[in-house]
Amino acid sequence: MHKLLGFLCFTFVCCFLTNIGYCQKDIIADTQVKFGNENYDGALKNYLTLRQKDSNNLDYCYNIAVCYLYTNVNKTKAIPYLEKVLKLEEKHYPDAVYLLARAYHYAYRFDEAIKTYKKYREKGKGKSEYLK
């Protein structure tokens, strides 16, 4: 009887953990679709949820910042996410410098915005529309 109960508990736990994994994959897929379709409000909610589970994921940080900048939510909330990305992996996110300058601009931190815009232009890497 104890073996049967142990087996059932083990099976239940395995099924539960497997479903959590599938739910996580579903959220990631849903978020990528929303982000790709420029549904930044919907993607933001999902990215914030995903970031709670993986706070070191820089892709989540970068995309959260993009979502903040392209929604009617407080755009200055993008600043700490972009600062974290740039502190840890600037070379993989060349447009993060421009986006941070924009976020500073929205926060009325004009000196920092100007300095950061200049830094972006000097590097000369990123989207051509931003470099203009």
Side-chain angles (χ1 to χ4, degrees):
M1 181 69 169
H2 290 290
K3 288 182 181 182
L4 179 61
L5 184 59
F7 176 74
L8 291 174
C9 288
F10 176 76
T11 304
F12 174 75
V13 169
C14 288
C15 289
F16 179 73
L17 293 175
T18 302
N19 285 335
I20 289 174
Y22 284 125
C23 290
Q24 182 84 1
K25 290 176 186 177
D26 290 343
I27 291 171
I28 292 170
D30 180 55
T31 305
Q32 290 171 338
V33 168
K34 287 178 179 177
F35 190 82
N37 289 330
E38 299 178 358
N39 176 358
Y40 297 114
D41 286 312
L44 177 60
K45 291 174 189 171
N46 288 358
Y47 276 126
L48 291 171
T49 300
L50 291 169
R51 188 168 182 281
Q52 286 177 342
K53 296 173 184 172
D54 186 2
S55 62
N56 293 321
N57 188 314
L58 293 181
D59 288 331
Y60 295 164
C61 289
Y62 181 80
N63 290 338
I64 287 168
V66 170
C67 289
Y68 276 127
L69 289 170
Y70 286 101
T71 61
N72 290 327
V73 178
N74 182 352
K75 296 175 188 313
T76 63
K77 288 185 176 185
I79 293 171
Y81 295 101
L82 290 167
E83 288 176 338
K84 180 176 182 172
V85 166
L86 291 172
K87 181 180 177 182
L88 299 174
E89 273 302 328
E90 182 174 337
K91 66 181 179 178
H92 294 293
Y93 303 92
D95 291 324
V97 177
Y98 171 81
L99 295 173
L100 179 59
R102 236 173 105 194
Y104 284 150
H105 193 147
Y106 285 119
Y108 303 109
R109 293 164 61 178
F110 299 119
D111 292 336
E112 291 171 278
I114 291 168
K115 180 181 167 185
T116 309
Y117 279 129
K118 286 180 180 178
K119 178 181 175 182
Y120 182 73
R121 185 180 289 166
E122 287 170 4
K123 288 189 177 223
K125 293 181 180 177
K127 291 182 181 179
S128 61
E129 64 190 74
Y130 293 163
L131 289 167
K132 291 179 186 177

